[in-house]
């Protein structure tokens, strides 16, 4: 897995997708607050991994929280963290399988990258990328040469 670099000055406008998801499906995108920490962290562990749950927990050490979630009523549908494991890093992120293909991940990604831009960054690193083509198409991210050796290379892994 490699890291990717994304220019934060040229991010796509996701306002239409966000509005459509709210009006059509009642999906709200927000930064969770401290009383929601255990709910979010437990959800990430259940649907993805304990390692990602640890990163989500770390996102709650900043105020505002360095994470966005997508929710429909009392149900979390997806999440995206940023600057939770390393400065200027995006990730982890995920959307439950039943909700994929609706642009939820795109909205979470761009909102998180915009937050990094607001923090003063001009570029951001997407760490340990799985779907390279998705990030290339969505935010014009580029592979960082020789990034196979990253902050995650000797990661102790926990199972679900």
């Amino acid at each position: 897995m490699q890291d990717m670099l994304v220019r934060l000055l040229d991010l796509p406008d996701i306002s239409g997708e966000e509005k459509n998801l709210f009006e059509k499906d009642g999906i709200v995108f927000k930064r969770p607050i401290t009383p929601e920490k255990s709910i979010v962290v437990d959800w990430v562990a259940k649907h993805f991994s304990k390692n990602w749950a640890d990163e989500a927990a770390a996102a709650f050490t900043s105020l505002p929280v360095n994470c966005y979630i997508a929710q429909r009523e009392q149900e979390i549908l997806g999440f995206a963290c940023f600057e939770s494991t390393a400065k200027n890093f995006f990730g982890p992120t995920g959307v439950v399988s039943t909700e994929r293909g609706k642009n939820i991940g795109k909205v979470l990604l761009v909102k998180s990258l915009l937050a990094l831009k607001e923090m003063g960054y001009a570029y951001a690193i997407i760490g340990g990328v799985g779907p390279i083509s998705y990030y290339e198409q969505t935010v014009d991210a580029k592979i960082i040469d020789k990034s196979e050796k990253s902050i995650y290379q000797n990661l102790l892994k926990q199972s679900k």
Side-chain angles (χ1 to χ4, degrees), residues 46-78:
K46 177 181 176 185
H47 292 279
F48 296 98
S49 73
K50 290 181 181 179
N51 288 103
W52 282 14
D54 288 342
E55 290 180 282
F60 278 85
T61 64
S62 297
L63 291 177
V65 174
N66 286 347
C67 179
Y68 277 93
I69 61 169
Q71 73 178 72
R72 183 187 303 115
E73 297 177 4
Q74 289 292 301
E75 177 186 15
I76 299 173
L77 307 175

Side-chain angles (χ1 to χ4, degrees), residues 1-17:
M1 293 175 66
Q2 294 178 290
D3 296 339
M4 297 185 84
L5 190 68
V6 60
R7 180 177 154 87
L8 300 179
L9 304 175
D10 300 319
L11 295 171
D13 179 7
I14 46 100
S15 58
E17 286 99 333

Side-chain angles (χ1 to χ4, degrees), residues 3 55 85-86 89 127-128 147-155:
D3 296 339
E55 290 180 282
T85 298
F89 265 64
S147 63
E148 298 85 7
K149 293 184 178 181
S150 75
I151 62 170
Y152 299 106
Q153 83 179 63
N154 294 312
L155 180 69

Side-chain angles (χ1 to χ4, degrees), residues 8 11-12 15 25 27 31 35 39-40 64 70 72-73 85 93 112 129-130 142 146 155:
L8 300 179
L11 295 171
S15 58
D25 294 321
I27 298 172
R31 283 180 162 184
I39 295 168
V40 172
R72 183 187 303 115
E73 297 177 4
T85 298
T93 185
S112 296
V129 173
K142 309 292 183 202
K146 299 180 183 177
L155 180 69

